[in-house]
């Protein structure tokens, strides 16, 4: 009976002789009643597997048929939580930027955030710290958010591209604008962050962020300063805080900073 059973459960389509021998070393074969079956089973495996393939699929026995669920199935949770995403993104190799960057810097903020701020990509400080907007651009952003009446602790802050792109210049790492393929390669992370956080408003800061958020090139000056419908949420476009840092003229800097704060006040009004 045992030998018949052994022969009947042998699956010729999954034959792995080495694994069989590892489980059952040849020196023990003479003590095992089923061992003498191995040779004919192995030799006939290819023919038996071909015969299985040639046969039409059979209907499962009535008792093995799956019952139709009486209750509706539980909805599948297909939205990730941010910690799972952060962990997954740490190993992202979707574009070559991971090679030179220190680490993936994922978004940060409460999962209940009603506003999501999107920047371009990490700067040097963020790359080292592993947190978004903690360098000079981050300080500028913090100041503007405060003036606009937005508590940074209540918004989710992320970037369109999660790795730092730069060219080395001596000891300095010079920021480089991400290319369209790099923005596209990183977009799935933004989409998954969006699905997890479900903000009411997304604020795209700068051209790279706007390209990722809208999925196309959006000129900033033409589109800034007003709310736009984007699927189930609203979107707002404004400049990137680094742009303000780069302006050489103090007067232009002050004017542009005011405009930036005014844009953020539109976001603040959404919260109210
Ligand atoms: N610039 C960005 O776009 N993001 C950061 O995190 C820092 C600077």
């Amino acid at each position: 009976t045992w030998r018949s059973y052994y022969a009947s459960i042998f699956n010729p389509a999954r034959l792995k002789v080495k694994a069989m021998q590892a489980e059952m070393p040849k020196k023990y074969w003479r003590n095992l009643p089923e061992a003498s079956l191995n040779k004919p089973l192995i030799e006939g495996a290819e023919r038996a597997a071909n015969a299985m393939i040639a046969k039409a699929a059979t209907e499962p026995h009535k008792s093995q048929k799956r019952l139709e669920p009486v209750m509706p199935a539980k909805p599948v949770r297909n939205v990730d939580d941010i910690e799972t995403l952060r962990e997954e993104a740490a190993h992202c190799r979707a574009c070559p930027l991971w090679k030179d960057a220190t680490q993936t810097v994922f978004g940060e903020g409460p999962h209940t955030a009603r506003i999501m701020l999107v920047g371009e990509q990490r700067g040097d400080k963020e790359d080292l710290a592993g947190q978004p907007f903690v360098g000079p651009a981050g300080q500028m952003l913090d100041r503007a958010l405060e003036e606009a009446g937005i508590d940074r602790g209540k918004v989710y802050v992320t970037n369109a591209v999660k790795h730092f792109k730069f060219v080395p210049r001596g000891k300095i790492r010079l920021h480089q604008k991400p290319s369209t393929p790099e923005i596209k390669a990183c977009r799935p992370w933004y989409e998954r962050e969006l699905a997890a956080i479900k903000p009411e408003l997304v604020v795209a800061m700068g051209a790279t962020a706007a390209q990722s958020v809208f999925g196309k090139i959006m000129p900033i000056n033409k589109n800034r300063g007003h709310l736009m419908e984007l699927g189930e949420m609203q979107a707002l476009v404004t400049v990137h805080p680094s742009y303000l840092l780069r302006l050489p003229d103090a007067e232009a800097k002050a004017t542009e900073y005011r405009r930036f704060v005014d844009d953020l006040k539109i976001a603040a009004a959404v919260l109210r």
Side-chain angles (χ1 to χ4, degrees), residues 53-82:
I53 294 165
K55 260 201 219 160
T58 52
E59 272 283 295
H61 188 272
K62 216 168 50 205
S63 64
Q64 288 168 339
K65 271 195 181 162
R66 274 201 199 148
L67 294 175
E68 288 304 318
V70 181
M71 298 284 289
K74 268 194 191 169
V76 180
R77 195 170 171 273
N78 55 6
V79 171
D80 317 89
D81 63 63
I82 289 296

Side-chain angles (χ1 to χ4, degrees), residues 101-230:
T102 310
Q103 57 192 313
T104 309
V105 185
F106 210 66
E108 220 177 56
H111 68 276
T112 49
R114 295 169 62 197
I115 295 186
M116 186 187 274
L117 295 180
V118 186
E120 182 194 72
Q121 59 145 342
R122 318 3 217 123
D124 184 64
K125 295 271 185 311
E126 289 79 11
D127 179 59
L128 298 172
Q131 286 176 288
F133 283 104
V134 290
Q139 284 159 18
M140 175 72 85
L141 175 64
D142 286 352
R143 204 176 105 205
L145 283 173
E146 199 181 321
E147 276 189 46
I150 298 174
D151 178 352
R152 172 158 173 180
K154 290 197 175 142
V155 299
Y156 185 86
V157 183
T158 192
N159 282 296
V161 172
K162 312 283 194 254
H163 279 116
F164 180 36
K165 182 174 179 181
F166 63 92
V167 282
R169 284 279 177 279
K171 284 188 185 165
I172 296 172
R173 303 190 296 173
L174 276 187
H175 162 278
Q176 295 282 290
K177 186 175 158 32
S179 65
T180 294
E182 286 153 358
I183 298 170
K184 282 190 179 161
C186 219
R187 193 164 194 266
W189 294 118
Y190 160 70
E191 286 170 2
R192 290 170 73 183
E193 283 177 302
L194 203 61
I197 304 288
K198 294 192 195 66
E200 287 161 47
L201 173 69
V202 174
V203 182
M205 299 184 293
T208 301
Q211 188 177 345
S212 182
V213 167
F214 289 88
K216 61 178 185 185
I217 290 172
M218 290 286 281
I220 302 299
N221 271 329
K222 211 168 116 200
N223 294 293
R224 75 183 291 181
H226 60 268
L227 294 172
M228 287 174 267
E229 296 299 320
L230 190 61

Side-chain angles (χ1 to χ4, degrees), residues 140 243-259:
M140 175 72 85
Y243 159 73
L244 307 174
L245 292 173
R246 285 196 303 269
L247 286 173
D249 175 61
E251 206 182 309
K253 209 177 210 136
T255 310
E256 280 305 313
Y257 177 74
R258 290 264 42 99
R259 288 184 74 197

Side-chain angles (χ1 to χ4, degrees), residues 15-67:
L15 176 64
K16 288 197 177 78
V17 178
K18 277 201 184 130
M20 281 170 82
Q21 286 179 359
E23 293 286 324
M24 193 201 280
K26 234 177 167 166
K27 61 180 177 184
Y28 300 130
W29 283 23
R30 62 194 161 87
N31 300 325
L32 299 168
E34 71 274 28
S36 62
L37 295 170
N38 285 347
K39 195 162 179 272
L41 287 173
I42 292 169
E43 282 170 0
E46 196 181 338
R47 198 174 13 86
N50 288 339
M52 279 166 67
I53 294 165
K55 260 201 219 160
T58 52
E59 272 283 295
H61 188 272
K62 216 168 50 205
S63 64
Q64 288 168 339
K65 271 195 181 162
R66 274 201 199 148
L67 294 175

